[in-house]
Amino acid sequence: MTAERYDVLIVGGGHAGAAAAIALRQEKFAGTIAIVSAEPELPYERPPLSKEYLAGEKSFERLLIRPASFWAERGIDLHLGEGVVAVDAAAQAVRTDAGRTVGYGELIWATGGAPRRLTCDGHHLHGVHAVRTRADVDRLLDELAQAQRVVVVGGGYIGLEAAAALTKFGKAVTLVEALDRVLARVAGEPLSRFYEAEHRARGVRIMLGATVACIEGDERVGGVRLANGTLLPADVVIVGIGIVPAVAPLEAAGAAVGNGVRVDARCRTSLPHVHAIGDCAAHANRYADGATIRLESVQNANDQATTAARDIVGRGADYDAVPWFWSNQYDLKLQTVGLSAGFEHAVVRGIPAERRFSVVYLRGGRVVAIDAVNATKDYVQGRALVAGGARLSVAALEDASRPLKEIAAEG
Ligand code: FAD
């Protein structure tokens, strides 16, 4: 019996894995392709999980990246509900948790990450949830009907979006953040304070500088105990404190790792014939001044997928895409372009209280990122400024009556 083998084997059927298969066919790659993915679902969009899907506004079918028929029509085999547990780079083969060995010509590792868990006492109790997969959210939704008090641990985008969705159900939501403001790792203070005020105005209790000591309860969660002794009664707890990149099999195979698997500008790992893309790939990013980072965004998953696919078909170009991201909370549409980390100035354009404004971030005198809230014009015009590293003055940027492109034209 001949062992199963594909010309390109993609591990992970999320945004990056699906996009890589699609890009390969768009690049006229004629070889065999398969996706092996631990989740039992067809590839689907993850962002709505903490937004419209959690709020009951979008069915799962509307989350599918492509209809079921697409994959067969394009000759892309799907092995769903099957995880890769080992990689043999010399033999160019993987082993799955179903006990199968599958060979590859090229391997694309697109496994994303597992939600970071709390490690304190009680973290395993029933009623403690992550929001990463459809199954996570379905389990959460099952319990929400019976729940009134919800504690969200983590004031990043996922925690805030979940809090916004749950207020629509009339739940009493408390959000606990260890740092002194929400979104502290990804945005400047003006944006953090704006979102804190918006959530509070809708009844979300926000507790800053608050660390979780343990989750209390017998089999089921009863409350969240903070380090200062406060007990927050809870029927359900949602933990949104980041992810741990899923790279253990690659690491065991000898790939260079460090906050994800290391890749070069073509998304190649240190192992021959193995690319890595998406949330799990640590790469040197021009928009982070060349620092090695992981980006957790649909943009990065899609663009790295294209980079890897083109490299495989021999039309490679270095990854150089402008980072962008979005977040929807209530009727607020946040669009972000660039990376603000390490900024020296955060210039507010417009009046946050009017719920339409943007924050322009400068580093070394250059525009490095823009957060635009209900301000699509600034986002659209700001892309070119971020891409080109425009040098603009704080005073000029502060004048929100002038469009960004006009300010840029004057230099
Ligand atoms: P994933 O989409 O996580 O896919 C990885 C897949 O690989 C999973 O199906 C996993 O089960 C599978 N897998 C893991 N290990 C193995 C293995 N060993 N073998 C086989 N399969 C494996 N980004 C935005 O830009 N905007 C947003 O508004 C936004 N909102 C988000 C909201 C939520 C709730 C979440 C969770 C993420 C959000 N993101 C958002 C981030 C975005 O969804 C991710 O950046 C994107 O999904 C990354 O794609 P990926 O393919 O790298 O990983």
Side-chain angles (χ1 to χ4, degrees), residues 53-106:
Y53 187 68
L54 179 57
E57 294 163 2
K58 227 178 197 182
S59 67
F60 181 73
E61 284 59 43
R62 291 180 58 206
L63 270 46
L64 293 179
I65 287 175
R66 290 288 187 278
S69 56
F70 172 90
W71 306 101
E73 283 163 13
R74 296 296 190 289
I76 298 165
D77 284 1
L78 299 179
H79 303 277
L80 303 176
E82 188 170 357
V84 167
V85 291
V87 176
D88 183 337
Q92 291 182 230
V94 304
R95 194 160 42 80
T96 76
D97 55 12
R100 294 194 310 138
T101 298
V102 185
Y104 61 80
E106 297 287 332

Side-chain angles (χ1 to χ4, degrees), residues 12 15-16 38-39 46 51 84 111 132 279 296-298 325-326:
H15 278 273
E39 282 185 80
R46 231 166 268 289
K51 306 177 182 75
V84 167
T111 52
R132 180 76 193 175
D279 282 13
E296 295 173 16
S297 69
V298 170
F325 187 82
W326 77 96

Side-chain angles (χ1 to χ4, degrees), residues 143-160:
E143 292 187 13
L144 274 175
Q146 267 59 265
Q148 184 48 32
R149 299 158 307 177
V150 180
V151 172
V152 177
V153 180
Y157 285 120
I158 289 177
L160 290 171

Side-chain angles (χ1 to χ4, degrees), residues 14-20 23 45-47 51 65 265 267 276-281 283-288 293-308 318-327 335-339 368 379 383 386-387:
H15 278 273
E45 292 173 20
R46 231 166 268 289
K51 306 177 182 75
I65 287 175
C267 296
I277 55 176
D279 282 13
C280 68
H283 63 281
N285 193 297
R286 170 155 89 85
Y287 295 92
I293 58 169
R294 286 187 307 102
L295 283 178
E296 295 173 16
S297 69
V298 170
Q299 169 274 315
N300 178 66
N302 287 337
D303 289 336
Q304 287 195 327
T306 302
T307 300
D318 288 357
Y319 179 70
D320 193 36
V322 184
W324 58 266
F325 187 82
W326 77 96
S327 174
Q335 293 165 292
T336 288
V337 59
L339 300 173
V368 292
Y379 168 73
R383 283 180 72 95
V386 171

Side-chain angles (χ1 to χ4, degrees), residues 344 361-369 385 388-392:
E344 286 130 17
Y361 299 91
L362 300 172
R363 192 168 62 230
R366 295 181 183 280
V367 175
V368 292
L385 305 188
R391 286 188 177 278
L392 301 180

Side-chain angles (χ1 to χ4, degrees), residues 197-214:
E198 283 289 329
H199 281 271
R200 285 185 171 128
R202 286 172 162 83
V204 177
R205 184 179 177 203
I206 296 199
M207 306 189 69
L208 302 172
T211 42
V212 174
C214 67

